[in-house]
mmCIF file of all heavy atoms in Angstrom:
data_model
loop_
_atom_site.group_PDB
_atom_site.id
_atom_site.type_symbol
_atom_site.label_atom_id
_atom_site.label_comp_id
_atom_site.label_asym_id
_atom_site.label_seq_id
_atom_site.Cartn_x
_atom_site.Cartn_y
_atom_site.Cartn_z
ATOM 1 N N ARG A 1 0.840 -1.197 0.000
ATOM 2 C CA ARG A 1 0.000 0.000 0.000
ATOM 3 C C ARG A 1 0.878 1.251 0.000
ATOM 4 O O ARG A 1 1.735 1.420 0.871
ATOM 5 C CB ARG A 1 -0.920 -0.005 1.219
ATOM 6 C CG ARG A 1 -1.922 1.135 1.249
ATOM 7 C CD ARG A 1 -2.761 1.070 2.513
ATOM 8 N NE ARG A 1 -3.654 2.204 2.616
ATOM 9 C CZ ARG A 1 -4.351 2.519 3.702
ATOM 10 N NH1 ARG A 1 -4.249 1.754 4.783
ATOM 11 N NH2 ARG A 1 -5.148 3.577 3.717
ATOM 12 N N LEU A 2 0.663 2.123 -1.000
ATOM 13 C CA LEU A 2 1.473 3.333 -1.131
ATOM 14 C C LEU A 2 0.793 4.478 -0.387
ATOM 15 O O LEU A 2 -0.200 5.030 -0.866
ATOM 16 C CB LEU A 2 1.666 3.690 -2.605
ATOM 17 C CG LEU A 2 2.267 2.593 -3.488
ATOM 18 C CD1 LEU A 2 2.461 3.099 -4.907
ATOM 19 C CD2 LEU A 2 3.590 2.099 -2.911
ATOM 20 N N THR A 3 1.315 4.815 0.766
ATOM 21 C CA THR A 3 0.687 5.835 1.614
ATOM 22 C C THR A 3 1.543 7.085 1.778
ATOM 23 O O THR A 3 1.226 7.949 2.589
ATOM 24 C CB THR A 3 0.382 5.247 3.011
ATOM 25 O OG1 THR A 3 1.590 4.740 3.579
ATOM 26 C CG2 THR A 3 -0.648 4.134 2.914
ATOM 27 N N GLU A 4 2.621 7.189 1.024
ATOM 28 C CA GLU A 4 3.427 8.414 1.023
ATOM 29 C C GLU A 4 3.214 9.130 -0.299
ATOM 30 O O GLU A 4 3.534 8.586 -1.358
ATOM 31 C CB GLU A 4 4.912 8.108 1.236
ATOM 32 C CG GLU A 4 5.271 7.761 2.670
ATOM 33 C CD GLU A 4 6.776 7.732 2.882
ATOM 34 O OE1 GLU A 4 7.527 7.762 1.873
ATOM 35 O OE2 GLU A 4 7.206 7.682 4.047
ATOM 36 N N TRP A 5 2.660 10.324 -0.223
ATOM 37 C CA TRP A 5 2.411 11.113 -1.423
ATOM 38 C C TRP A 5 3.463 12.217 -1.501
ATOM 39 O O TRP A 5 3.571 13.056 -0.601
ATOM 40 C CB TRP A 5 1.013 11.706 -1.396
ATOM 41 C CG TRP A 5 -0.074 10.666 -1.583
ATOM 42 C CD1 TRP A 5 0.103 9.333 -1.754
ATOM 43 C CD2 TRP A 5 -1.478 10.903 -1.611
ATOM 44 N NE1 TRP A 5 -1.115 8.694 -1.899
ATOM 45 C CE2 TRP A 5 -2.110 9.642 -1.812
ATOM 46 C CE3 TRP A 5 -2.284 12.032 -1.481
ATOM 47 C CZ2 TRP A 5 -3.497 9.491 -1.890
ATOM 48 C CZ3 TRP A 5 -3.663 11.890 -1.566
ATOM 49 C CH2 TRP A 5 -4.260 10.639 -1.768
ATOM 50 N N ARG A 6 4.223 12.198 -2.582
ATOM 51 C CA ARG A 6 5.295 13.182 -2.776
ATOM 52 C C ARG A 6 4.808 14.272 -3.731
ATOM 53 O O ARG A 6 4.376 13.975 -4.848
ATOM 54 C CB ARG A 6 6.553 12.500 -3.321
ATOM 55 C CG ARG A 6 7.151 11.508 -2.344
ATOM 56 C CD ARG A 6 8.372 10.808 -2.947
ATOM 57 N NE ARG A 6 9.012 9.926 -1.967
ATOM 58 C CZ ARG A 6 8.644 8.668 -1.768
ATOM 59 N NH1 ARG A 6 7.651 8.144 -2.475
ATOM 60 N NH2 ARG A 6 9.259 7.925 -0.859
ATOM 61 N N LEU A 7 4.911 15.501 -3.289
ATOM 62 C CA LEU A 7 4.436 16.652 -4.058
ATOM 63 C C LEU A 7 5.569 17.649 -4.242
ATOM 64 O O LEU A 7 6.504 17.702 -3.436
ATOM 65 C CB LEU A 7 3.272 17.327 -3.327
ATOM 66 C CG LEU A 7 2.025 16.471 -3.068
ATOM 67 C CD1 LEU A 7 1.261 17.018 -1.881
ATOM 68 C CD2 LEU A 7 1.153 16.447 -4.302
ATOM 69 N N HIS A 8 5.451 18.445 -5.296
ATOM 70 C CA HIS A 8 6.434 19.508 -5.476
ATOM 71 C C HIS A 8 5.803 20.678 -6.226
ATOM 72 O O HIS A 8 4.790 20.533 -6.906
ATOM 73 C CB HIS A 8 7.671 19.006 -6.227
ATOM 74 C CG HIS A 8 7.388 18.587 -7.633
ATOM 75 N ND1 HIS A 8 7.119 17.293 -7.979
ATOM 76 C CD2 HIS A 8 7.312 19.308 -8.788
ATOM 77 C CE1 HIS A 8 6.904 17.218 -9.282
ATOM 78 N NE2 HIS A 8 7.013 18.415 -9.786
ATOM 79 N N LYS A 9 6.438 21.841 -6.080
ATOM 80 C CA LYS A 9 6.049 23.041 -6.808
ATOM 81 C C LYS A 9 7.056 23.300 -7.925
ATOM 82 O O LYS A 9 8.184 22.792 -7.895
ATOM 83 C CB LYS A 9 6.038 24.254 -5.861
ATOM 84 C CG LYS A 9 4.854 24.344 -4.924
ATOM 85 C CD LYS A 9 4.962 25.663 -4.131
ATOM 86 C CE LYS A 9 3.713 25.910 -3.302
ATOM 87 N NZ LYS A 9 3.830 27.197 -2.543
ATOM 88 N N GLN A 10 6.658 24.138 -8.862
ATOM 89 C CA GLN A 10 7.581 24.504 -9.938
ATOM 90 C C GLN A 10 8.763 25.304 -9.387
ATOM 91 O O GLN A 10 9.821 25.368 -10.022
ATOM 92 C CB GLN A 10 6.854 25.315 -11.009
ATOM 93 C CG GLN A 10 5.875 24.484 -11.833
ATOM 94 C CD GLN A 10 5.288 25.268 -12.983
ATOM 95 O OE1 GLN A 10 5.415 26.486 -13.058
ATOM 96 N NE2 GLN A 10 4.624 24.570 -13.888
ATOM 97 N N THR A 11 8.591 25.915 -8.238
ATOM 98 C CA THR A 11 9.683 26.679 -7.615
ATOM 99 C C THR A 11 10.773 25.779 -7.054
ATOM 100 O O THR A 11 11.840 26.253 -6.672
ATOM 101 C CB THR A 11 9.137 27.554 -6.477
ATOM 102 O OG1 THR A 11 8.502 26.705 -5.501
ATOM 103 C CG2 THR A 11 8.123 28.561 -6.994
ATOM 104 N N GLY A 12 10.480 24.475 -6.964
ATOM 105 C CA GLY A 12 11.446 23.535 -6.418
ATOM 106 C C GLY A 12 11.114 23.063 -5.024
ATOM 107 O O GLY A 12 11.726 22.102 -4.523
ATOM 108 N N GLU A 13 10.168 23.704 -4.370
ATOM 109 C CA GLU A 13 9.755 23.284 -3.032
ATOM 110 C C GLU A 13 9.074 21.916 -3.113
ATOM 111 O O GLU A 13 8.311 21.646 -4.043
ATOM 112 C CB GLU A 13 8.785 24.307 -2.446
ATOM 113 C CG GLU A 13 8.384 24.034 -1.000
ATOM 114 C CD GLU A 13 7.436 25.087 -0.458
ATOM 115 O OE1 GLU A 13 7.183 26.088 -1.182
ATOM 116 O OE2 GLU A 13 6.936 24.919 0.671
ATOM 117 N N SER A 14 9.332 21.053 -2.149
ATOM 118 C CA SER A 14 8.754 19.717 -2.166
ATOM 119 C C SER A 14 8.205 19.352 -0.796
ATOM 120 O O SER A 14 8.558 19.969 0.211
ATOM 121 C CB SER A 14 9.783 18.672 -2.611
ATOM 122 O OG SER A 14 10.853 18.612 -1.687
ATOM 123 N N ALA A 15 7.328 18.359 -0.780
ATOM 124 C CA ALA A 15 6.733 17.888 0.478
ATOM 125 C C ALA A 15 6.350 16.427 0.308
ATOM 126 O O ALA A 15 5.887 16.011 -0.762
ATOM 127 C CB ALA A 15 5.508 18.718 0.837
ATOM 128 N N THR A 16 6.543 15.647 1.366
ATOM 129 C CA THR A 16 6.112 14.249 1.401
ATOM 130 C C THR A 16 5.150 14.085 2.566
ATOM 131 O O THR A 16 5.482 14.430 3.696
ATOM 132 C CB THR A 16 7.306 13.297 1.567
ATOM 133 O OG1 THR A 16 8.198 13.463 0.468
ATOM 134 C CG2 THR A 16 6.837 11.844 1.614
ATOM 135 N N VAL A 17 3.956 13.583 2.254
ATOM 136 C CA VAL A 17 2.911 13.483 3.269
ATOM 137 C C VAL A 17 2.522 12.026 3.455
ATOM 138 O O VAL A 17 2.300 11.295 2.478
ATOM 139 C CB VAL A 17 1.662 14.297 2.859
ATOM 140 C CG1 VAL A 17 0.610 14.241 3.964
ATOM 141 C CG2 VAL A 17 2.042 15.726 2.545
ATOM 142 N N LYS A 18 2.454 11.593 4.695
ATOM 143 C CA LYS A 18 1.955 10.259 5.036
ATOM 144 C C LYS A 18 0.436 10.356 5.132
ATOM 145 O O LYS A 18 -0.094 11.073 5.982
ATOM 146 C CB LYS A 18 2.544 9.805 6.368
ATOM 147 C CG LYS A 18 2.133 8.399 6.787
ATOM 148 C CD LYS A 18 2.911 7.345 6.047
ATOM 149 C CE LYS A 18 2.644 5.963 6.636
ATOM 150 N NZ LYS A 18 3.351 4.908 5.899
ATOM 151 N N VAL A 19 -0.267 9.647 4.246
ATOM 152 C CA VAL A 19 -1.720 9.747 4.202
ATOM 153 C C VAL A 19 -2.352 8.488 4.759
ATOM 154 O O VAL A 19 -1.718 7.436 4.884
ATOM 155 C CB VAL A 19 -2.221 10.002 2.768
ATOM 156 C CG1 VAL A 19 -1.652 11.306 2.222
ATOM 157 C CG2 VAL A 19 -1.859 8.833 1.847
ATOM 158 N N GLN A 20 -3.632 8.593 5.067
ATOM 159 C CA GLN A 20 -4.377 7.448 5.554
ATOM 160 C C GLN A 20 -5.810 7.557 5.046
ATOM 161 O O GLN A 20 -6.267 8.630 4.636
ATOM 162 C CB GLN A 20 -4.365 7.391 7.082
ATOM 163 C CG GLN A 20 -4.932 8.635 7.748
ATOM 164 C CD GLN A 20 -4.794 8.594 9.259
ATOM 165 O OE1 GLN A 20 -4.459 7.571 9.831
ATOM 166 N NE2 GLN A 20 -5.071 9.717 9.916
ATOM 167 N N GLY A 21 -6.529 6.450 5.065
ATOM 168 C CA GLY A 21 -7.908 6.453 4.616
ATOM 169 C C GLY A 21 -8.570 5.129 4.920
ATOM 170 O O GLY A 21 -7.908 4.166 5.330
ATOM 171 N N ASP A 22 -9.887 5.082 4.703
ATOM 172 C CA ASP A 22 -10.636 3.885 5.074
ATOM 173 C C ASP A 22 -10.805 2.892 3.934
ATOM 174 O O ASP A 22 -11.493 1.888 4.074
ATOM 175 C CB ASP A 22 -12.014 4.259 5.635
ATOM 176 C CG ASP A 22 -12.903 4.953 4.596
ATOM 177 O OD1 ASP A 22 -12.453 5.129 3.436
ATOM 178 O OD2 ASP A 22 -14.038 5.311 4.954
ATOM 179 N N ARG A 23 -10.178 3.162 2.766
ATOM 180 C CA ARG A 23 -10.245 2.198 1.656
ATOM 181 C C ARG A 23 -9.075 2.413 0.701
ATOM 182 O O ARG A 23 -8.569 3.515 0.547
ATOM 183 C CB ARG A 23 -11.584 2.308 0.917
ATOM 184 C CG ARG A 23 -11.854 3.633 0.238
ATOM 185 C CD ARG A 23 -13.328 3.827 -0.054
ATOM 186 N NE ARG A 23 -14.043 4.166 1.180
ATOM 187 C CZ ARG A 23 -15.386 4.214 1.279
ATOM 188 N NH1 ARG A 23 -16.127 3.949 0.212
ATOM 189 N NH2 ARG A 23 -15.966 4.536 2.415
ATOM 190 N N TRP A 24 -8.657 1.331 0.090
ATOM 191 C CA TRP A 24 -7.583 1.354 -0.903
ATOM 192 C C TRP A 24 -7.770 0.150 -1.807
ATOM 193 O O TRP A 24 -8.482 -0.800 -1.484
ATOM 194 C CB TRP A 24 -6.207 1.344 -0.233
ATOM 195 C CG TRP A 24 -5.951 0.217 0.716
ATOM 196 C CD1 TRP A 24 -5.341 -0.963 0.448
ATOM 197 C CD2 TRP A 24 -6.296 0.176 2.116
ATOM 198 N NE1 TRP A 24 -5.270 -1.750 1.569
ATOM 199 C CE2 TRP A 24 -5.846 -1.075 2.608
ATOM 200 C CE3 TRP A 24 -6.937 1.060 2.988
ATOM 201 C CZ2 TRP A 24 -6.025 -1.461 3.936
ATOM 202 C CZ3 TRP A 24 -7.105 0.676 4.304
ATOM 203 C CH2 TRP A 24 -6.652 -0.570 4.773
ATOM 204 N N SER A 25 -7.101 0.170 -2.983
ATOM 205 C CA SER A 25 -7.261 -0.936 -3.936
ATOM 206 C C SER A 25 -6.054 -0.999 -4.850
ATOM 207 O O SER A 25 -5.194 -0.121 -4.839
ATOM 208 C CB SER A 25 -8.537 -0.739 -4.775
ATOM 209 O OG SER A 25 -8.314 0.206 -5.808
#
């Protein structure tokens, strides 16, 4: 299960968020 979402901006700023939820597939 992939629960780390990696995001970035065009400016170069980045963030990695540990997500959770009640369903996945």
Side-chain angles (χ1 to χ4, degrees):
R1 185 182 176 191
L2 305 183
T3 56
E4 284 191 348
W5 289 0
R6 295 178 176 87
L7 300 156
H8 65 266
K9 284 184 173 180
Q10 289 187 348
T11 59
E13 185 179 354
S14 63
T16 300
V17 183
K18 182 78 171 178
V19 300
Q20 58 185 349
D22 64 1
R23 63 199 76 190
W24 55 95
S25 79

